[in-house]
Amino acid sequence: MSTVSHGHDPATLEPVVDLCDAVAVLGSFPALAGVTMTVQRGEIVLLSGPNGAGKTTLLRLCAGLVALERGRGRVLGVDLANDRELVRHRVGMIGHSNGLYGDLTVTENVRFWGRTVGASESEIDLAVSRMGLDGRLAHLPVSRLSAGQRRRTALAGLVARRAELWLLDEPHAGLDAAGRDELDSVLKMAATAGATVIVASHELERAGKLATRQVEVIAGQVRKVAGL
Amino acid sequence: MSTVSHGHDPATLEPVVDLCDAVAVLGSFPALAGVTMTVQRGEIVLLSGPNGAGKTTLLRLCAGLVALERGRGRVLGVDLANDRELVRHRVGMIGHSNGLYGDLTVTENVRFWGRTVGASESEIDLAVSRMGLDGRLAHLPVSRLSAGQRRRTALAGLVARRAELWLLDEPHAGLDAAGRDELDSVLKMAATAGATVIVASHELERAGKLATRQVEVIAGQVRKVAGL
Amino acid sequence: MSNAGQQRFTGTTVIGTARLIAAKDLRVELRSRVLLNQVLPFALIVMVMFAFALDSDAVLERVAPGLVWLAAMFSTLIMVSRSFAVETADGALDQLRSAGVPAMGIFIGKMMALMAQLVVLVTLLILTAVVLYRAELSWAGSVLLVTTGLTATCGLAAVGTLYGGLAAGAKGRETLLPLLLLPVVAPVLIGATRATESAFGTRGVSTGQGWPWLGLLAVFAVLFSVSGAVAFGPLLDD
Amino acid sequence: MSNAGQQRFTGTTVIGTARLIAAKDLRVELRSRVLLNQVLPFALIVMVMFAFALDSDAVLERVAPGLVWLAAMFSTLIMVSRSFAVETADGALDQLRSAGVPAMGIFIGKMMALMAQLVVLVTLLILTAVVLYRAELSWAGSVLLVTTGLTATCGLAAVGTLYGGLAAGAKGRETLLPLLLLPVVAPVLIGATRATESAFGTRGVSTGQGWPWLGLLAVFAVLFSVSGAVAFGPLLDD
Amino acid sequence: MSNDRATSTPFTKGLGFFVVLGIALLIILGIFVSPADVNQGESVRIMYAHVPGAWLAYLAFVMTAVSSAAYLWKRTRSLTWDRIAGASAEVGVLFMGISLVTGSLWGRLTWGTYWTWDARLTTTAFLFVTYIGYLAVRGLGGTHQQRARRSAVLALLAVLEIPLVHFSVELWNTLHQEASVAGRGTDVEMNGLMLFTLFLGVVVFTLMYIWLVLHRQRSLMLEDMLDDSGLDNALSERRAEATQVGH
Ligand code: HEM
Ligand SMILES: Nc1ncnc2c1ncn2[C@@H]1O[C@H](COP(=O)(O)OP(=O)(O)OP(=O)(O)O)[C@@H](O)[C@H]1O
Ligand SMILES: Nc1ncnc2c1ncn2[C@@H]1O[C@H](COP(=O)(O)OP(=O)(O)OP(=O)(O)O)[C@@H](O)[C@H]1O
Ligand SMILES: [Mg+2]
Ligand SMILES: [Mg+2]
């Protein structure tokens, strides 16, 4: 985790996320109705806002998973309108579901997700212990874990992937106090090492302490931006 | 909601939940390793504790969904060792998954769950509006909702069922600030009307304000009991 | 609200639950149109494909009734797995169980909804067969045919719902369900085929010879409806 | 960690991904033993059932090779749905897609794992048929048989994976997949049956007559392997 | 403790001895002593394995159903019944397999084919697969009670197929003019020694069945006990874990 080198030319200093009046449509519903937002490298941004505001959709847009219907959008220098697939392998996203294989053990799951970006065995072990999963749990099949333990496994898989842009959708939900602290320290270290983090969350006290900036999404638009 | 009449004889005053050294096994793992706990009618109890402590299992035991392996247990006067099925229709439980039908609308889902206990149409409408789902959302298929909106629908279905004992597993996760307030007021009203509420949660500040008592579960046992 | 207290228990009766569940299943079907858009074409393809595989007119004439029921059986298989996928997608079956909804009601409701859909399907398949193979139906034959269709459909729906519920919670249910279901419905397949043959008069079989097979079908349907209604609770319970 | 930067991209290559996915799928299979405990008995019962439905020795002798491939086809169907159920149960396929894992690699990996399992299955089915029908295999016949088995299996695995991925995200996938798959695999069914017949010498067909059918199978396998590898990305993407 | 882990008792050892002895006797009588059949010649000797195999498979499946019923009945509910049911079904599948294999060998010799699509054969195959499905359901995992309840229900349904297999011959023939199989049923004329050998075969297979079920039942119990004695250890481990966290 400590040295994430991305080969960026620091001279460019382009924002990591740069959206201008971005519109995204789900079905026929404009979940994002014109979002303008920039996020700089190294920031930890908290997305807040009521249910159905469009936080998840905004994260998925940044991850290249949702089409940009109108407006402009660049993420990590990639144009979302044309090549959104190209951004995906540089982004690490965790959504509402965990994406785990129930028959495989915790370590096997983390290894699988780590290997998709060629992480080494030691990085994988590190990720497992970072999320407090070493010991007895490491070799249990995921189907035998509690909800929070499963969430931790998914987060460990994300950690092992060492992305440049981390997008987390309510990552604290289901984690206990220790897990939240572990997650926060992981995210802070990642940001220090040059990654960028965007967290959608309803737990404002908690995530507020972690984030450097808060962006409020309301009805598909960015309403308030507050430094913290 | 206002008048939940259970036909209890107030003279009996048996605790609603009464566990003595209860052991529950998942697979071959003793998720509950001897829990002793009583909950009186009208209480709102917060279950806290680290991931994997056994909170979910404890709730499922009270709901009659997990077998009592050893020890004694009575819920709503029903012996868990012998007739745990009998307690189920008097208990309302919401777990990690929502139990919704994606092709049905919000109202149809709530109506379905309400009807399983014969709730009237007005009760159903009340439940829908209680969780802030009236208006546009009410007639949207559930598959088109955001995560928080789905959680609200599940909670509305629970409200419509008017149970005597409410068991909620991390009900706040995914809800926005308004939703949390709505839920808390619903739970408080239910407790005032004579129902009993047990909430497992990791959001101690939030749930702490709601609860009348906190019970900490650690490694399958009840460790600390704190009045709030 | 004083009368609500009385009303509340109506939904917890077996019949009430069955009606609730059947209505819900049919509404889901109406919304998603899976029967019309997917199962029906599938069944027709199965019939046509086998007809092709046999590729000789003489053989085909003889096995036409078998093809109808073969297609019905495979359609049952996929309709059952669809029916329970709806329940397990978001844990609704668990929720039903944890709400103390009577299992017998769940069984009857799901079976009724499945049977309603199967009746539509089988009717269309038989009509297709009648048209394609220019079968001539006597009055007695028609009566036998309709009775056979209903009885066999009832049996298929009952056993499908029973084993569908058993497999629903299990991992690997996609493969477990066909394994459990096929050997058990084979008798239905045979009985229904023979009865249909005699209704059609295929191979010179007379209509009268069909009724004993209908008896087999009826025994099967009653057996699995009853044992399903009784055993569904213990099966879902863990 | 300075060299990790270089190493990292190995996992993102198509081949690396394919190997990773195939290994994962086979490990899941090894843990759950679905092939051995569920699919294989299912395939056998399909063979027996059809044979019984046809119920006349003369017909049967003729269609025995067809039964092998019919059973293989239905088994493919349920194995594909199992294979993608593993991916969608907890949203892993979404996760793979959102992690930018090359879709071509996912396709090849899943296809390889499926093919490995199908080869085992088809081998056992053919052996059963050889024993049951006293087929006498010449050397040339054996060569044809093995080639046919591999080519047809490859085709089934390719088209199964392609449509499995397509149906995976859709609702009603339990019914959609069979509908999509059946008509497309019909040529494999016919080609493989004819080639197997001539390998067995059924109906006095000579071995030589089998090779053109093998050509058809090869075209099919190549077509769907290539188009699957290319089209899988756009298919998963919505 | 290590003695508890063995699956044999003096009784099963004695029983095992008789089983081996019986098999030897059966081979001698069946292959060397008993006469060849008038119609079927030497091939009739297969009968001494084929018929007891089928009958004992029936018995095993009935036993599975009976113990399943005993498990489901509240007053006699005990996991022992479930294990007997499981063990019996496994042995039944084995015997059914023996009967299928010997039957098709016999068919090769008398009918000239390993398999024919006769009702008896087909329903036998269905029965066989039904119990493979039963064993698959037993292997699904979950708690012991869960396994027991699910599989007990299934066993009670599956056993109903036995009459279907048994009467399939008549059911089929009454309505369908397939060439009926020679030598099927009681119209075979058997001489006394043949009848005795068949009887011996049934006795030996019965002893073998009891022996196998006892062993299998006990080894299943050990597996379960491992989990359960595991429970005491696991309980104290889990309790200790709590004290660690507490400090
Ligand atoms: C794969 C081929 C065969 C199978 C699966 C099979 C299966 C069975 C079964 C299940 C039974 C027990 C019937 C009952 O009592 O309900 C049985 C009995 C018997 N089988 Fe077979 N059989 C096969 C081939 C044959 C052949 C080739 C012969 C002789 C030519 C034969 C002769 C008998 C006889 C004499 C009995 C005992 C009498 C009776 O109850 O019918 N079987 N077989
Ligand atoms: N099927 C299973 N087999 C074996 N062990 C299991 C199984 N399911 C859960 N467990 C174990 O039981 C323990 C208790 O799980 P439970 O879900 O009750 O925890 P929890 O307190 O709700 O945790 P969380 O806060 O993460 O939701 C966990 O340690 C878990 O590993
Ligand atoms: N498939 C769909 N079709 C139509 N509308 C959809 C679909 N999926 C989501 N929506 C709508 O898009 C809006 C934004 O959803 P999104 O999931 O982004 O909200 P969110 O801010 O993440 O909410 P939450 O806090 O509840 O997670 C919601 O109002 C929802 O109703
Ligand atoms: Mg969201
Ligand atoms: Mg939990």
Side-chain angles (χ1 to χ4, degrees):
Chain A
M1 282 318 317
S2 46
T3 55
V4 183
S5 89
H6 301 299
H8 269 301
D9 187 356
T12 344
L13 276 180
E14 197 194 358
V16 172
V17 174
D18 188 4
L19 302 177
C20 179
D21 213 24
V23 172
V25 175
L26 301 179
S28 56
F29 184 80
L32 295 184
V35 168
T36 303
M37 181 176 89
T38 46
V39 179
Q40 300 296 337
R41 193 161 166 232
E43 275 192 294
I44 303 184
V45 175
L46 164 63
L47 288 187
S48 63
N51 290 141
K55 301 178 294 299
T56 300
T57 312
L58 183 51
L59 290 180
R60 289 174 64 86
L61 181 76
C62 294
L65 293 171
V66 169
L68 185 67
E69 194 76 16
R70 295 191 199 162
R72 284 188 307 100
R74 292 180 73 77
V75 171
L76 293 167
V78 174
D79 182 11
L80 289 183
N82 299 316
D83 330 279
R84 64 187 164 95
E85 311 74 37
L86 299 185
V87 86
R88 291 189 191 154
H89 72 272
R90 295 166 64 192
V91 172
M93 160 129 190
I94 187 156
H96 291 297
S97 60
N98 292 323
L100 301 174
Y101 298 105
D103 281 325
L104 302 186
T105 67
V106 168
T107 314
E108 283 166 347
N109 266 290
V110 177
R111 185 179 295 131
F112 177 79
W113 290 109
R115 284 273 170 83
T116 58
V117 293
S120 70
E121 204 58 23
S122 66
E123 287 175 286
I124 288 158
D125 289 344
L126 191 64
V128 169
S129 71
R130 263 286 151 66
M131 292 311 305
L133 292 164
D134 32 14
R136 187 181 74 91
L137 292 178
H139 300 290
L140 275 180
V142 165
S143 58
R144 299 226 180 144
L145 298 184
S146 77
Q149 291 165 342
R150 237 171 277 179
R151 194 69 177 164
R152 280 166 184 251
T153 310
L155 287 166
L158 182 65
V159 171
R161 295 191 59 239
R162 291 188 320 170
E164 293 168 57
L165 172 62
W166 297 44
L167 304 171
L168 301 106
D169 203 356
E170 305 188 32
H172 297 106
L175 293 186
D176 61 12
R180 282 156 199 241
D181 291 343
E182 282 156 2
L183 176 63
D184 285 2
S185 85
V186 164
L187 293 182
K188 277 188 179 140
M189 281 179 67
T192 316
T196 310
V197 180
I198 306 183
V199 177
S201 181
H202 293 293
E203 292 176 47
L204 302 186
E205 302 89 8
R206 178 86 218 176
K209 271 180 229 152
L210 165 72
T212 54
R213 189 154 64 94
Q214 178 177 353
V215 171
E216 186 158 12
V217 183
I218 294 179
Q221 283 153 284
V222 168
R223 268 305 153 83
K224 275 182 275 173
V225 180
L228 285 165
Chain B
M1 282 313 318
S2 45
T3 55
V4 183
S5 91
H6 302 300
H8 269 300
D9 186 357
T12 342
L13 275 180
E14 197 194 357
V16 172
V17 174
D18 188 4
L19 301 177
C20 180
D21 213 24
V23 172
V25 175
L26 303 178
S28 57
F29 183 79
L32 296 183
V35 167
T36 303
M37 181 175 91
T38 45
V39 177
Q40 300 296 338
R41 192 161 166 232
E43 275 193 295
I44 302 185
V45 175
L46 163 63
L47 288 187
S48 63
N51 290 140
K55 300 178 294 301
T56 299
T57 313
L58 183 50
L59 290 180
R60 290 174 63 84
L61 181 75
C62 294
L65 294 172
V66 169
L68 185 67
E69 192 77 17
R70 297 188 194 169
R72 284 189 306 101
R74 292 179 74 78
V75 171
L76 293 166
V78 174
D79 183 10
L80 290 183
N82 299 316
D83 330 278
R84 63 187 164 96
E85 309 77 31
L86 298 186
V87 87
R88 291 191 191 154
H89 71 275
R90 296 167 63 193
V91 171
M93 161 131 189
I94 187 154
H96 291 298
S97 59
N98 292 322
L100 301 175
Y101 297 105
D103 281 324
L104 303 186
T105 67
V106 169
T107 314
E108 284 167 347
N109 267 289
V110 176
R111 186 178 295 131
F112 178 79
W113 290 109
R115 285 271 172 82
T116 58
V117 292
S120 71
E121 204 60 20
S122 66
E123 287 176 288
I124 287 160
D125 290 344
L126 191 66
V128 169
S129 69
R130 264 285 151 67
M131 292 311 304
L133 291 164
D134 30 15
R136 188 181 73 91
L137 292 178
H139 301 290
L140 233 51
V142 165
S143 58
R144 298 225 182 143
L145 299 184
S146 77
Q149 291 165 340
R150 234 170 283 178
R151 194 69 176 164
R152 280 166 183 251
T153 310
L155 287 167
L158 182 66
V159 172
R161 295 193 59 240
R162 293 188 318 171
E164 293 169 57
L165 172 62
W166 297 45
L167 304 170
L168 300 107
D169 204 356
E170 306 190 31
H172 297 106
L175 294 186
D176 60 13
R180 283 157 199 238
D181 290 344
E182 282 154 4
L183 176 63
D184 285 3
S185 85
V186 165
L187 294 182
K188 276 186 180 143
M189 280 179 67
T192 316
T196 311
V197 180
I198 307 182
V199 178
S201 181
H202 292 294
E203 293 175 47
L204 302 186
E205 301 89 9
R206 177 87 217 177
K209 270 179 234 154
L210 166 72
T212 53
R213 190 155 63 95
Q214 177 177 355
V215 170
E216 186 160 13
V217 183
I218 294 179
Q221 284 152 283
V222 168
R223 263 310 149 87
K224 272 182 275 172
V225 180
L228 284 167
Chain C
M1 236 184 194
S2 52
N3 61 343
Q6 245 188 335
Q7 211 189 54
R8 288 186 63 176
F9 286 86
T10 56
T12 59
T13 62
V14 169
I15 301 299
T17 306
R19 212 182 301 153
L20 192 65
I21 301 262
K24 185 264 297 165
D25 269 12
L26 291 177
R27 170 165 290 159
V28 168
E29 163 55 30
L30 235 65
R31 294 269 158 82
S32 60
R33 301 264 178 76
V34 161
L35 178 69
L36 193 73
N37 294 340
Q38 297 180 11
V39 180
L40 195 64
F42 166 80
L44 292 176
I45 287 173
V46 168
M47 270 180 79
V48 171
M49 222 175 58
F50 285 112
F52 258 113
L54 295 176
D55 98 33
S56 115
D57 267 2
V59 177
L60 227 130
E61 200 90 331
R62 272 181 45 201
V63 297
L67 291 184
V68 168
W69 288 105
L70 212 62
M73 194 194 61
F74 280 108
S75 307
T76 306
L77 207 62
I78 65 174
M79 279 160 76
V80 168
S81 69
R82 158 84 183 149
S83 169
F84 281 93
V86 167
E87 298 294 339
T88 50
D90 192 26
L93 193 61
D94 268 4
Q95 196 79 6
L96 281 172
R97 201 166 64 80
S98 76
V101 174
M104 195 181 280
I106 303 179
F107 175 82
I108 298 177
K110 288 199 83 69
M111 177 182 152
M112 286 302 154
L114 189 60
M115 191 171 155
Q117 298 176 49
L118 270 176
V119 164
V120 173
L121 183 84
V122 169
T123 308
L124 290 173
L125 288 181
I126 289 185
L127 286 182
T128 313
V130 168
V131 171
L132 285 188
Y133 306 110
R134 290 157 294 149
E136 276 170 32
L137 273 171
S138 62
W139 254 110
S142 314
V143 174
L144 178 61
L145 195 60
V146 170
T147 328
T148 302
L150 287 176
T151 323
T153 303
C154 177
L156 284 177
V159 68
T161 307
L162 180 61
Y163 286 151
L166 172 63
K171 70 182 167 191
R173 62 163 164 271
E174 303 77 24
T175 48
L176 183 62
L177 182 65
L179 172 63
L180 292 178
L181 217 46
L182 275 201
V184 180
V185 297
V188 180
L189 185 67
I190 296 165
T193 303
R194 294 288 169 267
T196 308
E197 274 172 4
S198 57
F200 280 176
T202 324
R203 315 192 209 181
V205 188
S206 79
T207 309
Q209 288 181 298
W211 293 100
W213 287 111
L214 192 68
L216 179 72
L217 291 178
V219 169
F220 187 94
V222 169
L223 190 77
F224 274 97
S225 302
V226 171
S227 60
V230 174
F232 206 61
L235 271 188
L236 290 191
D237 234 20
D238 32 303
Chain D
M1 238 184 193
S2 52
N3 62 343
Q6 245 190 334
Q7 213 190 49
R8 289 183 64 177
F9 286 85
T10 56
T12 61
T13 63
V14 170
I15 301 299
T17 306
R19 211 182 300 154
L20 191 64
I21 301 264
K24 184 266 296 167
D25 269 11
L26 292 176
R27 170 164 291 158
V28 168
E29 163 56 30
L30 234 66
R31 295 267 158 83
S32 58
R33 302 260 182 78
V34 161
L35 178 67
L36 192 71
N37 291 341
Q38 299 179 10
V39 181
L40 195 62
F42 166 79
L44 292 176
I45 208 75
V46 168
M47 271 179 79
V48 170
M49 219 175 60
F50 281 111
F52 192 58
L54 298 175
D55 102 36
S56 115
D57 269 1
V59 178
L60 231 136
E61 200 91 331
R62 272 179 44 201
V63 298
L67 292 183
V68 168
W69 289 106
L70 212 61
M73 193 193 63
F74 280 108
S75 308
T76 306
L77 207 62
I78 65 173
M79 279 160 77
V80 167
S81 72
R82 158 88 182 144
S83 170
F84 281 93
V86 167
E87 299 293 340
T88 50
D90 191 26
L93 192 61
D94 269 3
Q95 196 80 4
L96 280 171
R97 199 165 65 85
S98 76
V101 174
M104 196 181 281
I106 303 179
F107 176 82
I108 298 177
K110 289 200 81 70
M111 177 183 152
M112 287 301 155
L114 189 60
M115 190 171 156
Q117 298 175 50
L118 269 176
V119 164
V120 173
L121 183 84
V122 168
T123 307
L124 290 173
L125 289 181
I126 289 185
L127 286 182
T128 313
V130 167
V131 171
L132 291 187
Y133 305 109
R134 291 159 297 150
E136 277 171 30
L137 272 171
S138 62
W139 254 110
S142 316
V143 173
L144 177 62
L145 194 60
V146 170
T147 328
T148 302
L150 287 176
T151 322
T153 303
C154 178
L156 284 177
V159 69
T161 308
L162 180 61
Y163 286 150
L166 174 62
K171 71 183 166 189
R173 60 161 166 276
E174 304 76 24
T175 47
L176 184 60
L177 183 65
L179 175 63
L180 292 177
L181 216 47
L182 275 200
V184 181
V185 297
V188 180
L189 189 66
I190 295 168
T193 303
R194 297 285 171 270
T196 309
E197 275 171 5
S198 58
F200 280 177
T202 325
R203 316 195 207 180
V205 187
S206 79
T207 309
Q209 289 179 293
W211 292 101
W213 287 110
L214 192 68
L216 177 72
L217 291 179
V219 169
F220 186 94
V222 170
L223 190 75
F224 273 97
S225 302
V226 171
S227 63
V230 174
F232 206 61
L235 268 189
L236 289 191
D237 241 19
D238 33 303
Chain E
M1 197 63 196
S2 62
N3 265 348
D4 279 358
R5 293 283 153 100
T7 55
S8 63
T9 59
F11 175 69
T12 60
K13 278 183 188 146
L15 190 61
F17 174 75
F18 279 110
V19 169
V20 173
L21 200 72
I23 291 177
L25 198 62
L26 184 63
I27 289 174
I28 293 169
L29 272 181
I31 296 186
F32 302 108
V33 181
S34 75
D37 186 72
V38 228
N39 301 322
Q40 310 200 9
E42 302 293 338
S43 72
V44 76
R45 304 184 191 287
I46 293 177
M47 177 173 70
Y48 307 129
H50 172 74
V51 175
W55 288 351
L56 262 294
Y58 287 176
L59 179 74
F61 297 152
V62 169
M63 191 62 204
T64 299
V66 169
S67 351
S68 296
Y71 174 82
L72 286 178
W73 199 36
K74 263 207 165 125
R75 283 219 232 134
T76 50
R77 176 158 302 172
S78 146
L79 278 178
T80 309
W81 289 118
D82 171 61
R83 289 187 288 260
I84 293 177
S88 190
E90 285 177 12
V91 178
V93 166
L94 177 74
F95 281 161
M96 198 89 261
I98 290 178
S99 189
L100 274 164
V101 169
T102 52
S104 49
L105 285 176
W106 200 359
R108 180 81 172 91
L109 294 174
T110 56
W111 308 331
T113 171
Y114 284 107
W115 190 265
T116 172
W117 305 100
D118 154 273
R120 162 66 54 77
L121 273 55
T122 308
T123 48
T124 308
F126 289 165
L127 187 67
F128 187 64
V129 171
T130 301
Y131 278 89
I132 290 181
Y134 169 84
L135 293 179
V137 167
R138 288 189 72 84
L140 281 183
T143 65
H144 300 329
Q145 309 290 342
Q146 219 170 328
R147 174 194 71 192
R149 196 160 4 188
R150 271 192 204 138
S151 58
V153 170
L154 205 59
L156 288 178
L157 292 173
V159 77
L160 298 174
E161 256 178 80
I162 291 182
L164 195 76
V165 180
H166 185 75
F167 295 114
S168 58
V169 196
E170 291 149 52
L171 235 180
W172 195 257
N173 280 349
T174 48
L175 289 141
H176 191 71
Q177 275 70 22
E178 285 284 302
S180 40
V181 176
R184 158 78 29 95
T186 45
D187 51 316
V188 193
E189 297 210 3
M190 287 201 195
N191 84 6
L193 191 53
M194 284 171 74
L195 211 57
F196 176 76
T197 313
L198 184 61
F199 175 73
L200 179 73
V202 172
V203 171
V204 169
F205 271 62
T206 309
L207 292 179
M208 189 153 72
Y209 164 76
I210 296 172
W211 185 58
L212 285 171
V213 168
L214 283 177
H215 272 285
R216 189 65 193 130
Q217 193 272 124
R218 254 184 88 72
S219 76
L220 285 176
M221 185 169 72
L222 289 179
E223 274 171 33
D224 285 1
M225 254 171 53
L226 206 66
D227 292 346
D228 293 345
S229 79
L231 181 57
D232 283 318
N233 296 339
L235 263 177
S236 42
E237 249 173 58
R238 184 117 165 107
R239 287 182 179 143
E241 198 184 317
T243 23
Q244 281 168 12
V245 177
H247 291 290

